[in-house]
């Protein structure tokens, strides 16, 4: 069969296309380019301009449509509405404004909000703000002209109230955020280029802060900085960015400028309550996400998160004397220590009032001798008592008689431990932070022993002479009964020099020196 030139050309073209297709499939570097989410225009990354992200909105009274319309009217400004679900009730968004879904769904690729931002700068704008021509550009120019390299964000108030300028220290090991008063005027160099003088004046009139709080604000950052954070779009936005910035040594510049806020009719008492409840709920969720159990406010007030009688204990079962939080380089959450102190004081008072001979044991006695308190990484309190005195305490007697746990009028939960012949008193029926009560009795030759041993190195018999008579030590805000020679008792149990050489209960799993000196 004779092949015509046209047929030969067609066959060659098909073969070439098949070869190119095969090469594209086999090439290791061949991969489809990243595309922004549906509805977001594909624009080269890092282009000048600002992308506005609306994130902080909630409830049926949101102002998303009007807020996005106001900012999308600015030249060079793109607007994204970022949320786990589309705004509800549904609203008609202006042309070009896209909804960026942050909720992972099994039938879609994981959310990648950074792919939707094409500009070099991004502004996080709260619901209800209104655009001011030129202000976002001025914030961007001030950020780029800042002589302090730690300044990573520029802020401007929304409405008539200015955010409080604060200092912030986040202690990850102690699960604590400490706020202080800020308001330090930024001192800038005066030898910048002449075309930057206007931005210098704005910067000199601004305030350098470690954190912002108390009123809504627009935050402008470099896109690369925002999306370098592990939680770039967590709510409440200003609090979230402040906490993450503090851990990185970043600073904010709070400008004297402000954005208008949309006027709204006064909310009804019910609407006000719902709004406040929603804010508090989001704040608690953020603290839980970041592992912050205690906030110390500038005036010294404390805001606790977790460890109430109605919340579960914030760590699981302990293995090898090493709680899970120690493996993460953290110490006992401060709210847990607070609950342990409350429980210990209650139990010691009940034993004292009942005439039960008792004393601090093990690590609790060690904490009392070292600090007058619970050791910062301890997870329970240990108390020894005379077995023959158990019936004197009405709650222990009730547990023995019934074989069931007993809840006292203050909500503390007394029970026999499942692990052996001793008792536990829990902070509550729900929150299982506890004091262990170890019944000892004298055997021959004046030695104190007990019926349950859990294999801990310090869990040993000891001479009864340490208890005749009992002494006392300061512990957790009270004076507690203790062996009459605490140091000798501790060195018998833990070894010589134990008071001067702090260490975790099981150094083979983790050593204290791994965490000392870390934030």
């Amino acid at each position: 069969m004779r092949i015509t030139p046209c047929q030969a050309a067609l066959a060659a073209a098909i073969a070439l296309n098949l070869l190119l297709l095969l090469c594209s499939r086999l090439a290791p570097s061949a991969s489809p380019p990243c595309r922004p989410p549906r509805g977001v225009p594909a624009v080269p990354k890092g282009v000048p301009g600002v992308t506005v992200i609306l994130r902080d909105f909630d409830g049926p009274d949101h102002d998303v449509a009007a807020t996005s319309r106001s900012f999308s009217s600015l030249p060079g400004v793109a607007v994204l509405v970022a949320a786990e679900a589309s705004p509800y009730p549904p609203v008609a968004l202006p042309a070009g404004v896209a909804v960026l879904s942050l909720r992972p769904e099994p039938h879609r690729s994981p959310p990648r909000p950074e792919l939707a931002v094409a500009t070099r700068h991004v502004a996080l704008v709260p619901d209800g703000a209104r655009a001011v021509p030129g202000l976002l550009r001025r914030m961007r120019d001030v950020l780029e002209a800042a002589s302090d390299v730690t300044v990573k964000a520029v802020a401007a108030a929304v409405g008539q109230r200015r955010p409080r300028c604060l200092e912030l220290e986040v202690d990850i090991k102690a699960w604590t955020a400490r706020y202080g008063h800020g308001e330090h005027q930024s001192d800038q160099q005066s030898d910048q280029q002449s075309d930057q003088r206007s931005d210098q004046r704005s910067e000199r009139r601004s305030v350098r802060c470690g954190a912002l709080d108390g009123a809504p604000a627009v935050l402008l950052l470099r896109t690369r900085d925002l999306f370098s954070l592990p939680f770039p779009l967590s709510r409440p936005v200003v609090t979230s960015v402040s906490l993450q910035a503090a851990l990185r040594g970043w600073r904010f510049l709070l400008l004297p400028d402000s954005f208008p806020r949309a006027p709204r009719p006064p909310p009804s008492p019910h609407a006000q309550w719902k709004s406040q409840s929603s804010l508090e709920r989001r704040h608690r969720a953020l603290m839980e996400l970041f592992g912050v159990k205690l906030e110390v406010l500038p005036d010294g007030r404390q805001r606790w998160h977790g460890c109430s009688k109605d919340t579960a204990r914030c760590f699981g079962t302990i293995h090898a004397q090493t709680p899970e939080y120690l493996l993460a380089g953290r110490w006992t959450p401060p709210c847990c220590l607070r609950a342990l102190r409350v429980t210990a004081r209650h139990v010691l008072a009940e034993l004292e009032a009942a005439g039960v001979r008792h004393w601090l044991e093990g690590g609790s006695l060690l904490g009392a001798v070292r600090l007058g308190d619970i050791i910062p990484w301890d997870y329970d309190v240990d108390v020894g008592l005379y077995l023959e005195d158990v019936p004197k305490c009405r709650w222990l007697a009730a547990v023995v008689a019934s074989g069931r746990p007993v809840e006292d009028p203050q909500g503390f939960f007394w029970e026999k431990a499942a692990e052996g012949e001793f008792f536990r008193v829990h902070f509550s029926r729900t929150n299982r932070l506890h004091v262990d009560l170890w019944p000892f009795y004298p055997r021959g030759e004046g030695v104190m022993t007990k019926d349950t041993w859990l294999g801990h190195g310090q869990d040993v018999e000891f001479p009864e002479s340490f208890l005749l008579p009992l002494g006392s030590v300061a512990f957790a805000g009270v004076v507690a009964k203790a062996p009459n020679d605490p140091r000798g008792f501790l060195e018998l149990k833990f070894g010589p020099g134990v008071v001067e050489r702090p260490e975790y209960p099981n150094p083979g799993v983790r050593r204290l020196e791994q965490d000392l000196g870390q934030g």
Side-chain angles (χ1 to χ4, degrees), residues 55 61 95 214 280 443:
R55 178 70 176 118
D61 298 325
E280 292 174 359
R443 65 171 177 81

Side-chain angles (χ1 to χ4, degrees), residues 245-295:
L247 288 167
R248 289 158 178 77
W250 294 4
R251 309 287 290 176
F252 298 81
L253 279 181
L254 178 58
L255 300 186
D257 311 83
S258 63
F259 291 87
R261 191 171 190 178
R264 293 187 180 183
S268 67
H270 181 68
Q272 193 170 11
W273 170 81
K274 285 183 64 176
S275 176
Q276 185 62 32
S277 298
S278 178
L279 287 173
E280 292 174 359
R281 186 170 59 252
R282 289 206 302 267
H283 188 86
R284 286 194 302 269
L286 183 69
M287 295 302 108
E288 182 177 357
L289 179 67
F290 286 2
V292 173
K293 297 293 183 182
L294 171 61
E295 292 180 283

Side-chain angles (χ1 to χ4, degrees), residues 415-473:
E415 69 175 4
K416 182 179 179 295
E419 295 92 329
E421 299 303 314
F422 64 102
F423 301 93
R424 281 201 168 120
V425 186
H426 300 273
F427 184 47
S428 73
R429 184 185 295 268
T430 302
N431 193 322
R432 310 299 274 185
L433 289 160
H434 59 260
V435 173
D436 283 337
L437 299 177
W438 298 94
F440 282 84
Y441 57 90
R443 65 171 177 81
E445 302 176 355
V447 173
M448 297 297 289
T449 191
K450 57 179 179 161
D451 291 331
T452 295
W453 305 89
L454 298 183
H456 301 164
Q458 72 273 16
D459 201 10
V460 297
E461 296 178 335
F462 59 89
E464 188 179 12
S465 59
F466 279 111
L467 310 178
L468 302 173
L470 285 166
S472 61
V473 290

